[in-house]
Amino acid sequence: MKKNLKTNLIWLAIIAVVYAILSALIVAGIINAFVAQIITQIGINLIVAVGLNLVIGFTGQFSFGSAGFMAIGAYTSAIVTARMAPTWGSIFLSMLIGAIVAGVVAVIVGYPTLRLKGDYLAIATLGVSEIIRILIMNGGDLTNGAAGLSGIILFTDWGMTFIFAVVIIILILNFINSPSGRATLSVREDEIASESMGVNVTRVKVIAFTLGAMVTAVAGSLYAGFIGTVTPKDFTWMKSVDALIIVVLGGLGSITGTVIAAIILGLLNMFLQDFGAIRMIIYSLVLILVMIFRPGGLLGTWEFKISRFFNKKEKKEAK
């Protein structure tokens, strides 16, 4: 118990120090407005990737529906905040409603689609994502069709994204280490063995899928508050591919890898801004090289844990 408390306090201290350093650099002008926007984009992409990694990396289900659930969160925030007074209460309420709507949709589509496996599941979730986008495109005055919604309150900054990313990562890690999370990992390893041990495989898949969808919807809300406008073309299947690339690059089943991959790809995009068409070529070459030399991703399933350092220290003292 004391060890867990000590570990948590150290993590909180590290997070606080990182936040303080970034704040100091921004105030001092060392990090300019452009770089601060890049940090915000990295944070939003990280949240989407963490939600997707829960489904793909920890549950073993190939999902292509991130863009659809992100669109639900973005449009819900845009619609709710436009009809309420521009306060933090209305903003957080819109994010909560967006997460709930995404969760309900995930449950409805999850039970029939998650019985599929592999490529069939990927195609089904891609279809669900496109259905959501088409419904939004034909939503009339509510969604303003293909033109989208504009004039959204710009409530997202790097600090807010940083805090949400930290909170969501903590929630996901706690879920993974809970009994339900252990059942999720068992489904990833062997569905038949899990079912024979009494695990309700479909229920476990739907829970993980729903939680991932709700996390992605939160990222969508942050995206709407960052850009200020949302259109259906912002949530095509390429948005799902972007999240998938981060997950695969970092390592399926590694939150640490997802964080590192999101930062690397975000910085890579920033430094390659001036290269135009060559940027995507360099970007693709980096991914190809990683897949050749590290097919399991940068970290595989490895997670960074401070408790390992305590164990090493205790072993040395015991000797």
Side-chain angles (χ1 to χ4, degrees), residues 255-278:
I255 298 297
T256 308
T258 301
V259 173
I260 293 174
I263 294 172
I264 290 174
L265 291 178
L267 294 176
L268 189 63
N269 278 330
M270 181 182 71
F271 289 120
L272 296 176
Q273 286 286 336
D274 298 330
F275 288 89
I278 302 176

Side-chain angles (χ1 to χ4, degrees), residues 225-261:
F226 174 62
I227 300 297
T229 59
V230 288
T231 60
K233 68 179 182 180
D234 294 333
F235 306 102
T236 61
W237 64 276
M238 279 304 298
K239 187 67 83 173
S240 297
V241 172
D242 291 340
L244 181 63
I245 289 172
I246 294 174
V247 172
V248 173
L249 180 62
L252 297 176
S254 174
I255 298 297
T256 308
T258 301
V259 173
I260 293 174

Side-chain angles (χ1 to χ4, degrees), residues 90-117:
S90 64
I91 289 169
F92 290 129
L93 178 63
S94 71
M95 296 177 74
L96 177 61
I97 294 173
I100 293 172
V101 172
V104 171
V105 173
V107 171
I108 293 173
V109 304
Y111 272 102
T113 59
L114 290 172
R115 298 177 187 277
L116 302 172
K117 297 180 181 179

Side-chain angles (χ1 to χ4, degrees), residues 53-55 57-61 175-176 178-191 194 199-201 203-209 211:
N53 203 357
L54 176 61
V55 179
F58 293 99
T59 316
Q61 308 304 307
F175 171 77
I176 293 168
S178 69
S180 296
R182 298 297 180 189
T184 300
L185 294 174
S186 71
V187 170
R188 179 189 68 182
E189 299 301 325
D190 194 318
E191 288 188 22
S194 298
V199 175
N200 188 330
V201 173
R203 179 173 171 272
V204 167
K205 288 181 181 179
V206 172
I207 289 174
F209 187 68
L211 185 56

